């Protein structure tokens, strides 16, 4: 008889994590009763910036906290003392602007030292920050700004990326014309390019150089907000965008204690004590949680870089590892696939002797890619595969391809179940659930479908349903198979197939559309689409022009990773194929041409390609 999945108590190892959090007030219990898995550290108060900075000043004040280098080759090192001073200065300036606990601050920045300073300054005064990808065009950026109701927005004049400069300030100006809540726009001068200037705009260097003025309360008397602010464990610290749902942008909100707990647990498992590098964009949740908070909470040095790894040349990853003596590298499989493609053109590529661990996150890594990482970076490496979710605070489970001694992480009680909540047999696909409460879980949702996210706890009472599909082997190995819904991971970022389909259908060229994914050598997975053209498009349109137009429309609305890499033009859609069969058919017929050149096919050809014709 099948075993019914039942909840388990939290792992006792969370007590060790809590001991490292430098709580300002102790909790009444490690875990309290409540919905959605219970409440982590009830009654405790803390401040994230104190855990990451103040607690280290006495013993590690002069140790490097951040090694940073820009895409043009400029570099900066910040010690814990220097980083602390900059965070305190910016926190006071924000307080002088009237920003306080619960207020929203947006960070439309690339990965600069100022980005980290702003994250920690917000945490110090209890403000909630949200990192907005620097690649967002004005339309989607305006949608995000409208959702978040920001009081202050950070941006920069321009951002270096792939050898060019993205006009971030100009995009912000366009987006703000449709959003009225932002009172101050703070601009980091990064490239020196000319920018327009409006009321409320302030240069970052002027903000931190000015003497903070006291904020006056309702009585008219000056008040100075003490810093750092002692915050309740569940006080929100960050709002992180997730894939669009139901036509609206959605963000999940993480609490101060949940972010710290997960970051401390994961970094303790991955660290060696030497320099730590997360090769990912700062907008990636893994980067925010595990490249900023984790290393700083442990007192380690974190390596940060601006731009892309192919500028000035394809050896940049190896040079960064050697320059800073990186011992642990975290990145996405898609980044590794891209570097693997470059390596074919590089002669005499040697291993990185300092590197001891590589962990990939965001999507499963195939065996051949894992083997290549050992060959390219060193045979003595420990290659790890990390799984997690944005709703759970990033990485949750790490598995190794080679033996190694690591500090154990708390157990999440992972199990695979069927639709009725019964544990499936080995080798049978089912949904992944977590039987134990996880400290890193979100504390709220910004957006229109809040109930959909809290529904994680409703399908199987007492356990967290992830929405991920997987199967378990006899030896306990879990193989992840994708999502149960229409959200897929592309290069570590979540993309809603429904949203891509809706953008295509809204286009005047398109009468109907279906969207799926296929394997991709660089991205791991790539979006592909099939469309039926509208009657007024004509019988012989330029299919190349149609594809470019449709792919551009998706990229401008949803971002580059949502852009279809191939478009099929179909005469009609029938009802013979289910979701899985259609995915097989479109993946077989959508050739992996990087230009996404469309092909005109019939529905009968799609049915035949599915294997069900």
């Amino acid at each position: 008889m099948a075993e019914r999945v039942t909840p388990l108590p939290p792992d006792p190892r969370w007590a060790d994590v809590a001991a490292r959090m430098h709580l300002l007030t102790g909790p009444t219990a490690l875990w309290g009763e409540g919905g959605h898995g219970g409440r982590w550290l009830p009654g405790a108060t803390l401040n994230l910036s104190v855990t990451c900075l103040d607690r280290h000043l006495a013993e590690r004040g002069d140790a490097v906290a951040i090694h940073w280098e820009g895409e043009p080759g400029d570099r900066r090192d910040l010690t814990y003392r220097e980083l602390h001073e900059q965070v305190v200065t910016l926190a006071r300036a924000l307080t002088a602007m009237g920003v306080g606990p619960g207020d929203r601050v947006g960070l439309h920045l690339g990965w600069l030292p100022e980005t980290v300073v702003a994250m920690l300054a917000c945490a110090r005064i209890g403000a909630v920050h949200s990192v907005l990808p620097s690649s967002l065009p004005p339309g989607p950026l305006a949608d995000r700004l409208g959702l978040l109701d920001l009081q202050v927005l950070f941006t920069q004049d321009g951002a270096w990326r792939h050898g060019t400069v993205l006009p971030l300030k100009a995009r912000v100006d366009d987006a703000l014309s449709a959003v009225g809540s932002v009172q101050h726009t703070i601009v980091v001068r990064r490239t020196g390019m000319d920018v327009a200037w409006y009321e409320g705009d302030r240069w970052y260097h002027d903000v931190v150089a000015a003497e903070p003025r006291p904020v006056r309360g309702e009585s008219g008397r000056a008040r100075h907000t003490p810093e750092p602010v002692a915050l309740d464990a569940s006080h929100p610290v960050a709002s992180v965008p997730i894939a669009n749902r139901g036509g609206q942008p959605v963000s999940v909100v993480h609490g101060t204690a949940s972010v710290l707990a997960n970051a401390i647990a994961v970094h303790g498992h991955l660290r060696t004590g030497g320099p730590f590098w997360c090769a990912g964009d700062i907008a990636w949740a893994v980067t925010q949680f595990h490249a900023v908070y984790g290393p700083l909470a442990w007192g380690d040095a974190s390596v940060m870089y601006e731009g892309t790894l192919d500028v000035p040349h394809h050896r940049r990853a190896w040079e960064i590892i050697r320059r800073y003596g990186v011992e642990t590298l975290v990145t996405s499989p898609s980044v590794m696939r891209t570097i693997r493609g470059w390596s074919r053109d590089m002669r005499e590529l040697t291993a990185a002797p300092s590197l001891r661990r590589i962990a990939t996150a965001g999507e499963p890594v195939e065996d051949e890619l894992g083997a290549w990482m050992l060959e390219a970076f060193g045979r003595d490496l420990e290659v790890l595969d990390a799984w997690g979710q944005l709703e759970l605070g990033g990485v949750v489970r790490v598995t190794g391809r080679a033996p190694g001694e690591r500090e154990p992480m708390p157990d999440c009680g992972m199990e695979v179940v069927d639709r009725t909540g019964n544990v499936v047999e080995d080798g049978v696909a089912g949904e992944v659930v977590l039987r134990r409460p996880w400290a890193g879980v979100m504390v709220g949702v910004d957006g229109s479908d809040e109930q959909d996210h809290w529904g994680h706890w409703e399908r199987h009472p007492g356990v967290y349903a992830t929405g991920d599909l997987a199967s378990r082997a006899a030896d306990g190995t879990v193989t992840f198979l994708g999502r149960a819904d229409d959200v897929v991971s592309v290069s570590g970022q979540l993309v809603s197939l429904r949203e891509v389909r809706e953008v295509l259908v809204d286009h005047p060229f398109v009468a109907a559309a279906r969207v799926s994914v296929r394997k991709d050598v660089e991205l791991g997975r790539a979006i592909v689409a099939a469309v039926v053209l509208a009657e007024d498009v004509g019988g012989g349109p330029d299919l190349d022009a149609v594809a470019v137009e449709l792919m551009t429309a998706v990229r401008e609305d949803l971002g580059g990773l949502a852009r279809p890499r191939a478009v099929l033009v179909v005469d009609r859609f029938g009802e013979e194929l289910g979701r899985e069969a259609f995915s097989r058919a479109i993946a077989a017929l959508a050739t992996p041409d990087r230009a996404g050149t469309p092909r005109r096919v019939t529905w009968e050809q799609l049915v035949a390609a599915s294997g069900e014709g």
Side-chain angles (χ1 to χ4, degrees):
M1 183 176 178
E3 176 191 354
R4 184 78 174 177
V5 67
T6 56
L8 296 173
D11 191 314
R13 280 188 287 252
W14 285 116
D16 298 330
V17 174
R20 287 193 165 274
M21 293 174 64
H22 201 77
L23 300 175
L24 302 179
T25 304
T28 57
L30 186 66
W31 220 281
E33 296 293 331
H36 311 139
R39 187 179 178 191
W40 167 238
L41 297 179
T45 63
L46 71 163
N47 188 284
L48 186 147
S49 76
V50 171
T51 306
C52 291
L53 298 176
D54 300 56
R55 64 178 299 197
H56 301 304
L57 295 181
E59 296 183 0
R60 299 190 55 78
D62 296 326
V64 172
I66 295 174
H67 295 290
W68 177 86
E69 64 173 61
E71 189 175 87
D74 48 333
R75 300 170 194 157
R76 278 192 270 170
D77 286 348
L78 287 177
T79 66
Y80 274 89
R81 197 178 318 281
E82 291 167 338
L83 181 58
H84 176 264
E85 291 173 354
Q86 292 187 26
V87 167
V88 169
T89 300
L90 182 58
R92 287 175 177 162
L94 290 173
T95 300
M97 293 180 188
V99 181
D103 291 332
R104 299 297 184 101
V105 176
L107 309 181
H108 184 238
L109 298 165
W111 201 351
L112 304 175
E114 289 83 358
T115 310
V116 178
V117 171
M119 291 170 64
L120 295 171
C122 288
R124 196 168 187 85
I125 62 176
V128 185
H129 79 266
S130 183
V131 177
L132 303 164
S134 59
S135 59
L136 281 178
L141 179 58
D143 292 340
R144 296 278 181 88
L145 295 177
L147 167 70
L148 296 172
D149 191 27
L150 302 176
Q151 184 169 339
V152 174
L153 176 62
F154 285 80
T155 189
Q156 53 195 91
D157 53 358
W160 289 104
R161 187 170 183 85
H162 207 262
T164 62
V165 176
L166 303 180
L168 264 61
K169 175 63 164 59
R171 292 178 178 178
V172 162
D173 292 338
D174 289 343
L176 288 179
S177 64
V179 180
S181 67
V182 177
Q183 299 178 20
H184 302 280
T185 301
I186 301 176
V187 186
V188 177
R189 182 178 288 280
R190 171 63 185 134
T191 65
M193 66 186 299
D194 291 333
V195 294
W197 211 248
Y198 300 94
E199 183 179 357
D201 292 348
R202 302 180 65 180
W203 287 113
Y204 179 95
H205 57 267
D206 290 338
V207 168
V208 296
E211 183 69 25
R213 292 172 295 179
V215 179
R216 298 191 177 274
E218 296 180 358
S219 65
R221 290 181 298 177
R223 62 177 175 87
H224 296 269
T225 301
E227 54 164 344
V229 180
L231 300 167
D232 184 83
S234 61
H235 182 85
V237 69
S239 177
V240 187
I242 199 168
N244 284 11
R245 308 289 175 87
Q248 297 294 327
V250 177
S251 294
V252 297
V253 181
H254 283 281
T256 301
S258 61
V259 160
L260 268 176
N262 201 63
I264 288 171
V266 172
H267 191 74
H269 187 68
L270 296 177
R271 71 187 292 266
T272 63
F276 181 95
W277 179 30
C278 179
D281 191 274
I282 187 59
W284 188 27
V286 170
T287 305
Q288 295 175 46
F289 298 151
H290 303 307
V292 179
Y293 303 134
L296 294 180
W298 278 86
D300 290 342
S302 186
V303 176
M304 306 176 181
Y305 74 105
E306 173 191 49
T308 56
L309 289 174
D310 58 344
V311 177
H313 46 68
H314 290 163
R315 293 180 179 269
R316 189 180 185 194
W318 278 267
E319 289 186 351
I320 289 175
I321 292 170
R322 290 171 183 154
R323 181 175 299 124
Y324 303 109
V326 172
E327 295 185 8
T328 301
L329 169 64
V330 175
T331 190
S332 68
S334 61
V335 169
M336 279 298 167
R337 294 185 193 103
T338 301
I339 294 176
R340 179 178 59 181
W342 299 338
S343 70
R344 300 188 182 104
D345 300 325
M346 291 187 282
R347 298 179 180 178
E348 299 178 358
L349 193 61
T350 58
S354 66
L355 198 60
R356 294 169 56 184
R357 289 175 182 158
I358 295 181
T360 56
E363 57 183 301
V365 60
E366 59 272 23
D367 290 338
E368 57 266 31
L369 181 61
W372 175 82
M373 287 188 280
L374 288 172
E375 178 182 352
F377 291 96
R379 286 288 178 182
D380 296 330
L381 275 180
E382 189 177 4
V383 178
L384 307 173
D385 194 357
W387 172 87
Q389 287 191 334
L390 178 57
E391 295 93 330
L392 299 171
V395 173
V396 172
R397 186 173 185 265
V398 179
T399 55
R401 294 171 179 265
E405 294 184 3
R406 302 184 302 276
E407 181 168 316
M409 286 177 58
D411 177 43
C412 62
M414 181 176 288
E415 193 55 85
V416 182
V417 303
D418 61 19
R419 292 181 180 274
T420 64
N422 291 321
V423 178
V424 301
E425 297 180 354
D426 292 342
V428 176
E431 183 180 11
V432 175
V433 299
L434 307 185
R435 300 176 66 184
R436 295 184 185 273
W438 189 255
V441 74
M442 63 186 182
V443 298
V445 180
D446 291 330
S448 62
D449 65 343
E450 178 173 344
Q451 189 57 41
D452 290 347
H453 280 77
W454 293 127
H456 283 292
W457 285 270
E458 295 178 356
R459 285 200 292 278
H460 310 295
V463 301
Y464 177 92
T466 67
D468 282 355
L469 300 176
S471 64
R472 187 192 297 275
D475 63 358
T477 302
V478 176
T479 301
F480 290 91
L481 305 173
R483 293 283 299 175
D485 53 19
D486 66 353
V487 176
V488 298
S489 176
V490 178
S491 190
Q493 302 289 327
L494 294 181
V495 175
S496 169
L497 299 183
R498 181 178 66 180
E499 297 298 328
V500 176
R501 182 173 64 251
E502 290 176 353
V503 171
L504 293 173
V505 171
D506 285 344
H507 196 282
F509 287 177
V510 177
R514 292 191 181 183
V515 182
S516 187
V517 294
R518 66 153 189 244
K519 290 185 177 180
D520 185 274
V521 294
E522 292 185 356
L523 300 177
R525 297 187 185 98
I527 306 296
V528 289
V531 299
V532 176
L533 297 181
E535 291 183 1
D536 56 2
V537 175
D542 183 341
L543 296 186
D544 285 343
V546 169
V548 171
E549 174 74 18
L550 297 180
M551 290 189 290
T552 299
V554 174
R555 176 177 56 80
E556 290 182 349
D557 272 20
L558 301 178
L561 293 178
R563 177 179 66 87
R565 260 51 182 182
V567 176
L568 297 179
V569 176
V570 188
D571 61 337
R572 66 182 180 90
F573 288 138
E575 301 297 329
E576 299 95 317
L577 299 181
R579 176 177 170 180
E580 293 185 4
F582 180 79
S583 295
R584 290 196 301 271
I586 195 172
L589 293 178
T591 57
D593 183 351
R594 289 188 181 182
T597 303
R599 299 175 57 186
R600 188 184 292 278
V601 299
T602 65
W603 176 251
E604 287 72 21
Q605 288 174 302
L606 275 172
V607 174
S610 72
E612 297 191 1

